[in-house]
Amino acid sequence: MQLPKKITPDSIINAVVEVKYESKVPFELLIGLLFPVFDDSYTYTAKPLKNPSALIINPMQELAMNLGGQSLLYNDKISIRLLPSAFVFSCLGKYIGWDLFRAEIEKVLKIIGNTGYVIKWNRLGLRYITEYLKTDLKDCTKFSFTFGFPEVQSLSTTFHNEFEYKGAKVIMNLNNKIPTVRQQEINKTLEVVPSSIIDVDVIKDPLSLEKVEEIMDVMEEVHTYEKEVFFTLLTEDFLKTLHPEY
Amino acid sequence: MAVIIKIPSDANRQPSLLAALYAYLVSSHPNFVDGRSISNTYAELLPASGEWKRTPIDNTIDRFIKLEQSFMRQYEVHPEYFGDQSEYCVREKMKISAELILQCNPDIITVQVTGEGSLYYTVLKNDITFYLQHYLIEEFDGTDDAIVTVYKGNDRLFEYGGSLAETIQQLSMILAPESITLPEFA
């Protein structure tokens, strides 16, 4: 199957890559060791913990507790969550396209890899969530959303599927016409808008890779699988409306 | 269809027998599920669903970063608004109120620094609009204050002033019937 390089609009509301790693130093130490190796184009911040009661009672405690918050790095294109066993990359704002997103991830992984503190890359997950408003997925995908009662017209449907695809694990969620409350424009009244979601998560694990180049190859492969699953799901007529560029 | 193999309750007293049986079942039946380890008392075959951990998504991060960036841009222009407080201290205090408000997943949120050394949040969620002013006081061991005003459409629903913790608590109680959730306090 020939896969489009670009579609317009892409309707991607979330693009996330998770790379799990094994470090030879404890996470608390790793954060401190990684901090100086990133240049000024990256900002470090700690997002406060979700249990705010402890944060507010005493400001002394606030500052101390914040050190234990969610560690984040970001530049003008992507954000990186630094977790004890994983780095999670996502686009800041709109999706920037795979070539740019991949390049940004590679840049960060090379910086981290060059420190020598990460000794293994052992899992890769890539997840794209696409949202179509006021769209019936029955009309634009090859999934019929029917079951044993053909006379039943479902108002909304959620379908969860897990399967293996070319050695990778795929978790696919299809949410069709889920009512959401939206304010389409500022100062306009709220309206209930049906939202349809195609959520494709491709996971490759267990891995035991030592080089950044190797995990980048896996990332490219997994991204291709995600595209294959996504575009195979769409009907040809619907794909044409997305102005595919090959 | 599931085949259930009932193992005698005293099987644990015969570990070699149990181990041999287990090894045979695993090798000869690819779909064999050991019910003991998964708390499935009927030893039925389990679906794969839920076994694979999804790639994590956190929708609050993007908004948190944008709010922090907006604040920092304004702070760099007017650091004098916050007296002798260090940038680190002001930034950490801002992150606390920002994170608290973001918990209600607002449709729109903005922050402005004011000449009084406060942060002025404007938050829209459904048909509710609230304005929360977080005063960053200079005493290090004191508690920050806040004022909030809540509107539903054009009607003023609620006003409150107190410590930041109390204000968020009160706001949380007012917004709960509107199905808007803020963090609960211990």
Side-chain angles (χ1 to χ4, degrees), chain A residues 201-240:
Chain A
D201 189 356
V202 186
I203 298 151
K204 192 93 175 180
D205 85 330
L207 299 169
S208 182
L209 306 173
E210 291 178 7
K211 293 180 183 163
V212 171
E213 291 77 14
E214 292 174 314
I215 194 75
M216 290 310 299
D217 287 346
V218 174
M219 200 180 295
E220 192 63 50
E221 183 189 342
V222 162
H223 178 252
T224 304
Y225 296 166
E226 191 280 335
K227 282 175 72 176
E228 285 174 1
V229 171
F230 178 77
F231 287 113
T232 304
L233 193 65
L234 303 184
T235 62
E236 285 172 17
D237 287 343
F238 182 63
L239 184 55
K240 279 179 196 162

Side-chain angles (χ1 to χ4, degrees), chain B residues 130-148:
Chain B
F130 66 86
Y131 304 95
L132 189 141
Q133 196 160 4
H134 173 192
Y135 292 89
L136 279 56
I137 63 158
E138 291 199 40
E139 289 83 27
F140 191 66
D141 56 350
T143 309
D144 283 357
D145 291 331
I147 295 174
V148 69

Side-chain angles (χ1 to χ4, degrees), chain A residues 3 9 12 30-31 53 91 105 108 112 116 146 155 160 164 171 177-178 196 202 217 225 231-232 237:
Chain A
L3 297 171
I12 294 167
L30 182 68
I31 292 287
S53 54
C91 294
I105 297 170
V108 171
I112 295 170
T146 56
L155 297 174
H160 177 89
E164 290 200 357
I171 305 174
K177 297 190 295 177
I178 305 294
S196 296
V202 186
D217 287 346
Y225 296 166
F231 287 113
T232 304
D237 287 343

Side-chain angles (χ1 to χ4, degrees), chain A residues 189-206:
Chain A
T189 53
L190 293 162
E191 54 178 315
V192 177
V193 180
S195 159
S196 296
I197 298 273
I198 299 177
D199 175 357
V200 181
D201 189 356
V202 186
I203 298 151
K204 192 93 175 180
D205 85 330

